[in-house]
Amino acid sequence: MAEDKIIDRLGALPFFSGLSTVQLGTVSEHINWLNLEPNTTVFKESDKGDAIYFILEGSFEVVIESGNGKSIQLATLTEGHSFGEMSLIDNLPRSATIMANTKSDVLQLKKNDFDELLKKHPPIGVILLMELTDFLCQHVREANESQLKEPPMAFE
């Protein structure tokens, strides 16, 4: 029954929308369902990246440390969002800290499970890589657009 619940929730997430029910069943074998309490730190900036998380319920803060030691809140993520995507592609440390604001449920896909899906189930892997690429491209475009909205520097 728990696997059916995961399959249903996966199917509702855009990242997995291109998968059939059978493919979702395969993916669900590699997914962990986590219940998090408020103020739980999922990971810290500079931790090793080892998983992507999909928010089913709850609210999360994305925070980075500035050069002068102050925390800067970048975003609040809620149901339907994901975080930790870059860790599936690169082997670099986490670029931000993620903390649960509220009691939350997330689905976790670890990098080694993602890699196994790519190797053992290539049709699933292609779909997931396409979704991941779309997601990362969207974020680069949004970052570029936000830079264009910044007022130009004044020269005196």
Side-chain angles (χ1 to χ4, degrees):
M1 183 62 172
E3 190 173 307
D4 289 340
K5 187 176 178 183
I6 291 175
I7 292 170
D8 289 343
R9 296 306 294 262
L10 284 174
L13 294 168
F15 191 82
F16 300 100
S17 64
L19 299 177
S20 70
T21 304
V22 171
Q23 291 171 321
L24 289 171
T26 300
V27 172
S28 72
E29 296 169 9
H30 300 276
I31 295 285
N32 299 308
W33 187 304
L34 305 175
N35 304 108
L36 304 173
E37 293 298 319
N39 301 314
T40 298
T41 300
V42 181
F43 54 77
K44 292 182 180 180
E45 185 176 355
S46 81
D47 283 354
K48 180 182 181 202
D50 63 351
I52 183 173
Y53 299 83
F54 302 93
I55 304 171
L56 301 178
E57 293 180 28
S59 172
F60 293 81
E61 292 301 320
V62 181
V63 178
I64 61 170
E65 296 298 320
S66 70
N68 62 6
K70 294 191 178 205
S71 295
I72 301 170
Q73 181 183 334
L74 296 180
T76 300
L77 304 175
T78 57
E79 182 178 333
H81 288 97
S82 59
F83 54 89
E85 299 85 0
M86 292 188 298
S87 71
L88 296 181
I89 302 299
D90 63 24
N91 290 315
L92 298 175
R94 298 288 190 182
S95 60
T97 296
I98 305 289
M99 185 174 3
N101 290 329
T102 62
K103 187 172 172 113
S104 305
D105 289 334
V106 296
L107 297 178
Q108 176 195 56
L109 175 60
K110 292 184 178 180
K111 181 172 177 25
N112 60 344
D113 288 318
F114 180 76
D115 291 344
E116 184 176 325
L117 285 167
L118 296 179
K119 290 175 188 167
K120 292 186 177 178
H121 305 280
I124 293 172
V126 167
I127 292 168
L128 294 181
L129 282 173
M130 289 175 60
E131 288 297 329
L132 183 60
T133 302
D134 286 348
F135 177 85
L136 294 173
C137 287
Q138 177 185 347
H139 280 280
V140 169
R141 288 181 193 279
E142 289 170 0
N144 288 344
E145 288 174 12
S146 72
Q147 290 297 318
L148 292 175
K149 292 177 184 176
E150 294 292 320
M153 291 180 57
F155 294 99
E156 299 189 24

